[in-house]
Amino acid sequence: MASGNKNESVVSKTPNSNLTSNLQYLMKKTRVTSVDLAESVKVSAELIGKLKNGWLSNPSLKVLAGIARHFNLTLQELVFADLKNIGNHIIEKQINYIPVVDWAKIKSWKDESPVGSVVVENSSRDSMFALHLVHDYGEFKSGSYVFVNTQKKPKSNDYVIVLNKDSGTANIKKLIVEDFYYLQSVIADLGNVVKYNEQEHQIYGVIVGYQNTKFFE
């Protein structure tokens, strides 16, 4: 059985970081001090100063997400965009927050308190949530976010969130559509393919975005 072409619309390589220059630009543009930003993000002004001056090479995901929320930016924009040359529209654009959901509570995510939130563009909070990866799922690396749309119809070669009805656990699988639906492991060491069975599996959503937050390795 053919496994289909690799889905490259979701997984992409990490470009170079512009965090230091972007933070300097944003703070100057909005007249925000290190103390102001530190209070908003709930970290020390010393840490913000180190980031602004390029002295901290590996900030945590929590810090980056907090700074992105403060300036109404996505993590991708905060770290990789060249904000000084893009202009004001990226700062003034319409953004949305989507909840970061506990893996164990995916099925009831709308009724549960999120463990955090991330900023994305052109999304509906009613149909989308994010998952924080605590270990590698193939090319989806630990420390990253995947963005899940629960209303999009899955198609062949999509990466999907699959719930195991017996164990209640969730996992990332690649969907292969031929005569039947098949679920392929994204972990190279496993590499197994199983036939989709409605009695055992539930495809809960399609991964529509991936954000690698391990920027400074």
Side-chain angles (χ1 to χ4, degrees):
M1 178 184 65
S3 61
N5 294 328
K6 180 179 172 182
N7 186 339
E8 296 183 355
S9 64
V10 174
V11 181
S12 60
K13 293 184 179 179
T14 304
N16 295 326
S17 168
N18 289 317
L19 177 62
T20 297
S21 60
N22 283 345
L23 191 53
Q24 292 172 354
Y25 169 76
L26 290 165
M27 292 177 69
K28 182 178 180 180
K29 179 75 175 177
T30 59
R31 297 182 180 181
V32 171
T33 68
S34 294
V35 172
D36 294 334
L37 186 55
E39 289 180 353
S40 174
V41 182
K42 294 180 172 51
V43 296
S44 69
E46 180 184 8
L47 187 149
I48 297 296
K50 288 181 178 179
L51 277 177
K52 181 181 177 182
N53 291 295
W55 298 339
L56 183 60
S57 62
N58 191 22
S60 71
L61 174 62
K62 182 179 179 180
V63 170
L64 290 172
I67 294 173
R69 282 195 297 271
H70 179 89
F71 290 112
N72 281 351
L73 297 172
T74 66
L75 282 170
Q76 191 80 9
E77 290 164 347
L78 173 66
V79 178
F80 300 126
D82 185 1
L83 297 182
K84 288 187 294 186
N85 294 320
I86 289 176
N88 294 335
H89 72 278
I90 197 168
I91 301 176
E92 298 168 352
K93 68 184 184 325
Q94 181 66 38
I95 55 89
N96 294 292
Y97 296 90
I98 64 171
V100 179
V101 175
D102 188 319
W103 281 82
K105 299 177 180 178
I106 289 175
K107 194 170 183 179
S108 58
W109 70 275
K110 287 188 177 182
D111 300 321
E112 301 288 347
S113 298
V115 295
S117 62
V118 290
V119 180
V120 294
E121 291 185 77
N122 302 323
S123 69
S124 170
R125 187 181 177 91
D126 293 334
S127 62
M128 282 187 65
F129 61 85
L131 292 167
H132 182 218
L133 307 185
V134 295
H135 55 81
D136 291 351
Y137 286 86
E139 293 191 57
F140 297 99
K141 299 304 180 183
S142 175
S144 302
Y145 284 127
V146 291
F147 305 130
V148 181
N149 188 319
T150 60
Q151 294 183 355
K152 182 178 180 181
K153 184 178 179 179
K155 61 183 185 301
S156 190
N157 294 321
D158 276 346
Y159 293 98
V160 293
I161 301 298
V162 179
L163 297 180
N164 185 303
K165 292 183 177 181
D166 290 333
S167 65
T169 58
N171 215 322
I172 297 175
K173 299 289 185 180
K174 186 174 183 179
L175 179 65
I176 301 170
V177 180
E178 294 185 345
D179 295 334
F180 301 96
Y181 277 23
Y182 297 91
L183 301 171
Q184 182 180 43
S185 172
V186 297
I187 301 174
D189 292 342
L190 297 179
N192 61 309
V193 178
V194 298
K195 186 177 178 181
Y196 177 78
N197 184 334
E198 289 186 352
Q199 303 301 317
E200 300 176 8
H201 310 114
Q202 179 185 2
I203 297 176
Y204 197 76
V206 177
I207 295 178
V208 294
Y210 167 68
Q211 200 161 61
N212 190 337
T213 52
K214 298 185 76 173
F215 303 115
F216 307 109
E217 291 183 335

